[in-house]
């Protein structure tokens, strides 16, 4: 693995993926080190905002040095990103964090659960486990994605990598309710679960994993400053004393963002 | 060209340090920065025992800076001695350990544990953290309390000490004088200014602790003013910080009276900031025909 | 939808005012802004006699804000009464006159001269200007002095008074309480934070006065925190200011506890700021289904 | 005269005029009100810098709504301006200040003196007094412009409007020395002097005007915040009590930037 860097990347293309959701592809040497579940920090150019925005890698192309990133316009930084044109240079920090642990998935029944803007980072993961291009091939891949309504961004792409179930809040597609409702409705079984989404969903995932006797790896989110483990801004509570911090806190940016759900105080 | 400065008998290859709490133990940023090039690494505040810190959210972005209320999470001085100091010992840079505590005894415990550590060149005493309920800032906002704790700590230290002052006071000169009178070997300032951010849509505080410390370029003019006032109030050397982003900023602090400077929040904006500052200072010295960096310390009166 | 707020018995059509010294006497910005739309016009500080103010440069730009050391140049209260008040009387807005002085008697002279002016709805007493050598801030950095001068001024005023507090203090709550105890009808904060800028190429201060007051978005988190602390320390209403650029900023101050808000340095960035803030507050109330602006005052605890 | 406005303008063209000196033309309705010696405030887009940059109008075209502005790259704001491309939108505040009083010049021997970056605002003035297109035609126009070296920006354009003398610090063109040296060397006589440049030069101009019995109008510079007379940031010292301020201070942004030299404490 190479060192982390702050580096200039070039925008290759950008499009509106869904209402308020953007899909951007950038060219950067950092792609060489990308793994599913890792993230980059993107720096706005607006000089009143100095911190990098943590955004997950949706897909990566190591050979061609490309990263695909899907993000929601949530505030001033992402609103600025949405204006970037092909050819434009942007500053990014990466590769950050530890991705999903793939090794445990070989030959196993894998369940991948995403909600809202937690959906995008799971695309590269689903692809890797389906195609085995990271040296690990799942026995089966089931994906459960939760959306607000019928605007099911990325769903068509997920379908290529296994069985996709959808939950929508308004019931317009798939199960009416959340991803756990969809899991129950379809009696989804699994040996290993990977999930990303809002905290209440992740708590549900951990509980569901316990119910069906699966192991769950979940990706957390927290406000970050440095992104590299130095500021201690982005901690989550751990059940046991953390090896680095010597208290019950782990740093999401460096020890995560993906954690074994059993290790966390959720 | 001489870029070395001497503060309380300790010589730094250049005046550029890291600000405590923004550079971890040095390890995290060693992926970006060659630590050998720094004047000093100043470590995150360490207490006698591990501290869990505050609940999250602990950080929030604001115009030209950020708020933080980490609450001095730290693994305790034993881990620092066993893990962080051995790591830092391998670099040709000075090491300043930032010390925090809730009571005078806490501080004394830490500095005593560190007194036989040769790899620790100075101790920076943080009596100005606005983010912990007890201790900390209570010492940093009252000149008498500052005098007492400084005096007590001085009795137990082998290394020279730097009292780190809080900007959240009416008179920084008075605080600087109290530290000097009690025997502090140097002072550093400014720690963060207490601030608040409210999320108007969620109707909550952006920081779980309600208030957080403001740092970054937004506070630079206040920091420069306080460095100027403090350095004119005392004879001991001053280490300046608060919003340093460029060599120009660092030089501004030195002209105002700082013998050393530290880069804090801007490490998060650009992990190479310290190196850029060091190189920029050298360029400035060349352009301005300054052969010794010491010439500019306090040169604007 | 009700946007009116009442402060010390005076009702403002909306909570948005101009910050003293950033809007002249209202005349200068009336080319840009319909003064009838403002909650209040707060005029530049006025003394008993004309003051020449400080030498130039008086202003300097800094990251996210500016420094100023105007030194309270003003034409004196007689000119205000003869020229500025008649101009303002024609507008359907409240008028708050900001008062400055070097001694208690100076303040008393001004408020007495203004006491029979019906067009003056409130008096804001500036005891927090960091840019004049005598008087001014001396009253604003010591709770006893603040108590004394407030009490004395109260004896001579007909209009309700607003003591304007300095942020350059260790405890803003203590200052707020002193003002309240002495009978102030409201308080406003924050005035500017003392800062400094040095030109590293010319090796001089950017401001002739050496130090200047920092204002603009850079200081907003400090201002919000102090408004929160002050409004929790006293029962009298609080007018908040410091870096307000948008309606979101204004709402943040109100959620923190401000009954009124003032736009200062950002008028220089955009002369339409006050109007944009007023319109933005109305939009926010609509979106959030808030029928009365008073609901949000101090709503985040 | 219309009201002052903050308004968007469009960059029409921009070029390098001399080393570090840019020549930009913008399209704006504010041009309707422009007069020689007035200025605009240009707002940088960089959000760390909030104050408008006061820059004089070099030439104006009222009919076509164009302003020509010549500026030196002096810091972060002007460095940003130098990157503006045709078609780009910028924010400006104007029209600001009072220009040169032309009415006194009818039929008179006019001397126009500029130094350094004080040269550009005098171009529109020279043109107006030469062509009489503002209703006032000078009897004669002599121009004395001071430069550092042979990089005599705008000199060719000045020549169209009268007799141009040049002073250079390095002596490479015209008189070696400053503009006053050039005036003396050429025994320049005049009834009325208009000048813009650094303060030491303006003091020299005032003294020279007294010597030759001319009236001098000089354009001053000072750090500004509001640009509209509200902040009292930009004052100059006046001999008599100023009508507005009631002290010996006038506001350069609104009472100036052009003043009768006799009224000032220089
Ligand atoms: C590990 C990680 C991965 C993420 N991956 C994605 C992703 O793939 N797609 C996506 O749309 N979003 C993702 N997010 C959330 C994303 O970071 C925020 O939406 C983004 O930072 C908002 O920035 P802004 O300037 O638009 O909003 P503003 O509200 O203006 O930002 C202000 C500050 O708050 C921080 N902030 C705001 N919201 C969040 C948040 N939810 N999480 C962390 N910090 C926040 C910003 O980084 C910035 O420092 C991820 C967050 C984390 C921690
Ligand atoms: C009435 C007037 C007319 C002017 N006309 C011209 C002109 O036609 N061409 C030209 O090149 N310059 C002119 N100037 C000078 C010009 O305003 C400055 O060069 C410019 O503001 C520098 O901005 P900056 O961001 O590049 O520099 P910075 O140093 O980064 O600016 C920082 C702050 O200082 C102010 N500032 C810096 N230098 C000056 C200065 N010399 N005068 C006033 N404020 C300054 C800026 O406006 C800004 O607020 C004029 C100034 C005034 C007052
Ligand atoms: C995230 C964070 C953590 C900090 N932790 C400490 C600390 O442990 N001890 C300390 O003395 N100062 C601490 N500080 C204060 C900085 O060392 C510095 O004084 C302050 O941030 C101002 O400098 P800056 O504006 O360059 O960041 C911390 C600051 C930040 C932003
Ligand atoms: C140029 C300038 C002049 C000011 N003059 C006064 C004054 O006369 N009286 C006063 O009480 N405050 C004065 N202030 C302080 C402002 O009213 C306000 O408290 C401060 O600037 C913070 O608000 P802001 O950040 O929105 O500017 C002045 C501020 C500026 C920038
Ligand atoms: S963001 Fe700094 S430690 Fe994670
Ligand atoms: S710049 Fe504000 S009065 Fe001239």
């Amino acid at each position: 693995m190479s060192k982390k860097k702050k580096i200039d990347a070039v925008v290759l293309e950008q499009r509106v993926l869904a209402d308020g959701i953007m899909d951007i592809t950038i060219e950067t040497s950092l792609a060489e080190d990308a793994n599913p579940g890792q993230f980059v920090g993107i720096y706005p150019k607006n000089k009143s905002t100095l911190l990098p925005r943590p955004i997950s890698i949706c897909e990566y192309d190591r050979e061609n040095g490309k990263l695909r990133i899907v993000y929601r316009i949530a505030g001033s930084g992402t609103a600025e990103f949405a204006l970037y044109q092909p050819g434009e240079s942007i500053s990014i920090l990466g590769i950050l964090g530890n991705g999903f642990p793939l090794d445990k998935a070989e030959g196993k029944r894998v369940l991948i659960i995403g909600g809202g803007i937690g959906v995008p980072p799971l695309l590269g993961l689903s692809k890797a486990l389906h195609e085995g291009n990271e040296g690990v091939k799942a026995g089966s891949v089931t994906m459960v994605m939760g959306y607000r309504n019928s605007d099911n961004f990325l769903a068509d792409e997920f379908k290529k990598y296994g069985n996709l179930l959808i939950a929508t809040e308004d019931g317009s597609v798939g199960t009416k309710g959340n991803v756990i409702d969809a899991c129950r409705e379809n009696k989804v079984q699994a040996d290993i679960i990977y999930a990303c989404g809002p905290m209440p969903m992740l708590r549900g995932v951990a509980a569901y994993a316990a119910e069906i006797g699966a192991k769950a790896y979940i990706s957390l989110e927290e406000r970050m400053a440095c992104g590299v483990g130095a500021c201690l801004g982005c901690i989550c509570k751990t059940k046991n004393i953390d090896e680095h911090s010597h208290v019950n806190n782990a740093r999401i940016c460096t020890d995560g963002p993906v954690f074994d759900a059993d290790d966390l105080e959720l | 060209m001489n870029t070395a400065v001497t503060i309380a008998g300790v010589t730094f290859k250049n005046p550029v340090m890291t600000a405590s709490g923004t550079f971890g133990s040095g390890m995290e940023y060693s992926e970006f920065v060659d630590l050998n090039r720094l004047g000093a690494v100043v470590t995150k505040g360490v207490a006698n025992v591990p501290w869990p810190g505050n609940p999250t959210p602990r950080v929030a972005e604001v115009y030209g800076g950020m708020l933080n209320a980490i609450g001095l999470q730290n693994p305790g001085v034993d881990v620092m001695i066993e893990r962080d100091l051995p790591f830092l010992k391998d670099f040709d840079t000075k090491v300043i350990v930032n010390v925090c505590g809730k009571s005078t005894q806490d501080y004394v415990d830490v500095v005593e544990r560190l007194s036989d550590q040769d790899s620790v060149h100075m101790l920076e005493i943080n009596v100005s953290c606005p983010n912990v309920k007890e201790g900390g800032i209570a010492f940093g906002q009252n000149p008498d309390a500052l005098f007492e704790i400084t005096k007590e700590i001085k009795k137990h230290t082998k290394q020279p000490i730097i009292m780190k002052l809080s900007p959240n006071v009416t008179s920084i000169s008075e605080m600087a004088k109290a530290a000097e009178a009690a025997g502090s070997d140097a002072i550093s300032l400014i720690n963060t200014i207490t601030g608040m951010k409210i999320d108007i849509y969620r109707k909550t505080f952006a920081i779980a602790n309600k208030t957080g410390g403001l740092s970054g370029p937004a506070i630079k003019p206040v920091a420069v003013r306080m460095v100027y006032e403090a350095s004119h109030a005392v004879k001991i050397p001053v280490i300046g910080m608060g919003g340093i982003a460029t060599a120009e900023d660092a030089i501004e602090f030195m002209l105002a009276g700082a013998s050393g400077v530290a880069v804090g929040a801007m490490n998060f904006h650009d992990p190479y900031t310290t190196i850029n500052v060091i190189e920029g200072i050298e360029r400035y010295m060349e352009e301005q025909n300054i052969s010794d960096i010491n010439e500019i310390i306090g040169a604007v009166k």
Side-chain angles (χ1 to χ4, degrees), chain A, chain B:
Chain A
M1 209 185 68
S2 315
K3 286 183 177 180
K4 288 172 193 151
K5 289 191 191 77
K6 182 182 180 187
I7 202 171
D8 283 346
V10 176
V11 175
L12 293 177
E13 47 178 327
Q14 169 150 249
R15 65 186 182 116
V16 178
L17 186 64
D19 187 29
I21 311 268
M22 304 298 295
D23 182 353
I24 192 171
T25 302
I26 60 175
E27 187 168 50
T28 167
S29 61
L30 293 181
E32 284 169 25
D33 299 314
N35 284 294
Q38 290 187 297
F39 64 104
V40 292
I42 308 184
Y43 290 92
K45 298 178 187 187
N46 171 343
K47 291 217 175 189
S48 75
T49 55
L50 298 168
L51 300 177
R53 273 49 184 164
I55 314 262
S56 297
I57 295 162
C58 171
E59 287 195 290
Y60 52 90
D61 175 347
R62 296 202 190 114
E63 268 106 86
N64 297 301
K66 292 186 192 177
L67 292 180
R68 180 184 180 191
I69 284 161
V70 170
Y71 63 94
R72 170 183 288 154
I73 300 176
S76 74
T78 47
E80 181 193 309
F81 301 161
L83 301 174
Y84 292 164
Q85 299 295 323
E88 201 163 337
S89 175
I90 61 172
S91 247
I92 63 172
L93 180 74
I95 297 291
L96 305 178
N98 294 313
F100 291 101
L102 301 188
D103 48 323
K104 325 260 154 97
E106 183 63 42
K108 295 281 167 57
R109 293 172 304 171
V110 169
L111 171 56
I112 297 178
I113 306 180
I117 202 62
V119 165
L122 300 171
L123 186 63
L125 175 71
S126 303
K127 184 181 182 183
L129 290 174
H130 171 77
E131 299 189 345
N133 56 341
E134 297 294 346
V136 180
K137 206 169 153 71
S140 70
V141 178
T142 304
M143 292 155 291
V144 183
M145 299 295 147
Y147 299 95
R148 199 163 300 163
N149 51 36
S150 61
D151 205 349
N152 303 333
F153 54 89
L154 299 179
D156 287 344
E157 300 185 54
F158 275 105
K159 277 180 195 151
K160 295 190 276 178
Y161 308 126
N163 182 28
L164 174 68
L165 301 171
I166 288 178
T168 54
E169 283 175 33
D170 67 0
S172 55
V173 181
T175 304
K176 180 173 164 68
N178 62 32
V179 288
I180 304 302
D181 297 329
C183 287
R184 283 194 216 291
E185 189 174 291
N186 295 281
K187 301 204 171 59
V188 179
Q189 297 300 313
D191 303 310
I192 184 161
I193 303 180
Y194 299 104
C196 184
M199 190 48 94
M201 181 197 105
L202 296 179
R203 288 200 189 94
V205 167
Y208 187 73
E211 272 173 48
I212 64 168
K215 192 102 195 83
Y217 295 96
I218 62 179
S219 179
L220 304 186
E221 230 182 61
E222 188 48 82
R223 301 290 156 141
M224 297 184 172
C226 71
V228 301
C231 75
L232 307 181
C234 68
I235 60 99
C236 60
K237 288 280 149 199
T238 55
K239 283 207 181 107
N240 300 309
I241 298 270
D242 174 75
E243 209 179 292
H244 178 85
S245 73
H246 287 256
V247 290
N248 293 53
N249 294 342
R251 296 163 301 178
I252 293 176
C253 67
T254 29
D255 305 320
V258 180
F259 291 90
D260 181 338
D262 292 335
D263 293 345
L264 299 177
E265 201 66 68
L266 284 174
Chain B
M1 187 161 75
N2 173 48
T3 59
V5 294
T6 299
I7 297 173
V10 179
T11 298
F12 301 84
K13 61 172 70 163
N14 64 57
V16 182
M17 316 179 180
T18 61
S20 174
T22 67
F23 211 72
S25 63
M27 213 177 291
E28 291 78 6
Y29 277 107
S30 65
E31 283 194 58
F32 299 91
V33 170
D34 177 1
L35 304 186
N36 294 304
R37 298 190 60 190
L38 303 179
V41 170
V42 182
T43 61
K44 169 79 186 161
V46 69
N48 51 345
V49 294
W51 285 13
N54 288 329
T56 56
R58 291 177 169 187
V59 292
E61 190 182 60
V62 296
Y63 211 108
M66 60 176 284
L67 296 173
N68 90 80
I70 307 299
L72 289 172
Q73 176 186 325
N74 75 86
V77 67
D78 292 336
V79 174
M80 155 143 293
I81 290 171
E82 283 151 35
R83 180 183 64 194
D84 300 337
L85 294 181
F87 168 81
L88 287 169
K89 206 186 299 212
D90 287 344
F91 294 94
D92 176 26
T93 186
K94 292 293 185 282
V95 174
I96 300 178
V97 173
N98 184 276
V99 177
C100 58
K102 289 175 180 138
S103 65
T104 306
Q105 191 56 46
D106 284 0
Y107 286 96
V108 167
D109 285 353
V110 179
V111 301
E112 282 190 332
R113 283 285 282 120
L114 291 169
S115 63
D116 58 357
Q117 295 293 322
D118 296 338
S119 57
V120 176
H121 302 95
M122 290 182 95
L123 300 168
E124 182 178 53
I125 313 298
N126 178 8
V127 287
S128 49
C129 179
N131 302 321
V132 292
K133 294 269 172 296
E134 333 154 69
I137 198 148
F139 299 112
Q141 291 189 307
N142 176 319
D144 298 334
L146 179 66
F147 179 88
E148 290 305 331
I149 193 168
T150 305
K151 224 172 148 187
E152 191 58 32
I153 288 171
K154 257 314 261 187
K155 287 186 198 150
H156 302 267
T157 47
K158 291 240 178 63
Q159 297 94 339
I161 69 165
I162 307 160
M163 295 307 290
K164 182 160 179 182
L165 305 184
S166 169
N168 301 294
V169 295
T170 306
S171 166
I172 197 73
S173 311
E174 206 183 345
M175 300 303 290
K177 282 181 189 156
E180 179 181 51
S184 190
D185 302 286
I187 53 175
S188 61
L189 68 164
I190 61 173
N191 209 315
T192 54
I193 308 181
T194 308
M196 177 180 282
K197 178 178 177 177
I198 289 174
D199 183 324
I200 68 163
Y201 298 105
R202 300 191 196 168
K203 299 203 178 70
T204 54
F205 300 99
I207 297 269
N209 187 51
K210 294 188 184 180
T211 59
L214 178 62
S215 60
I219 68 171
K220 198 188 70 175
V222 179
V224 171
R225 185 262 298 182
M226 290 193 166
V227 163
Y228 179 85
E229 288 179 357
S231 68
H232 280 72
V234 297
K235 296 212 171 58
I236 52 177
V238 172
I239 298 169
M241 69 202 74
I244 294 178
T246 63
E248 285 74 18
D249 296 336
I251 293 160
E252 197 179 346
F253 275 90
M254 296 192 74
L255 289 170
S259 301
V261 291
V263 175
M266 287 305 278
N267 289 306
F268 309 154
H269 177 68
D270 183 351
Y272 311 115
T273 304
T274 44
I275 302 299
N276 292 339
V277 168
I278 292 167
E279 291 176 351
I281 290 177
E282 288 169 5
R283 264 197 312 277
Y284 173 84
M285 290 175 65
E286 256 167 45
E287 278 165 27
Q288 303 275 314
N289 267 314
I290 296 163
S291 57
D292 184 347
I293 186 85
N294 290 280
E295 286 172 30
I296 72 167
I297 299 171
V300 173
K301 303 199 197 295

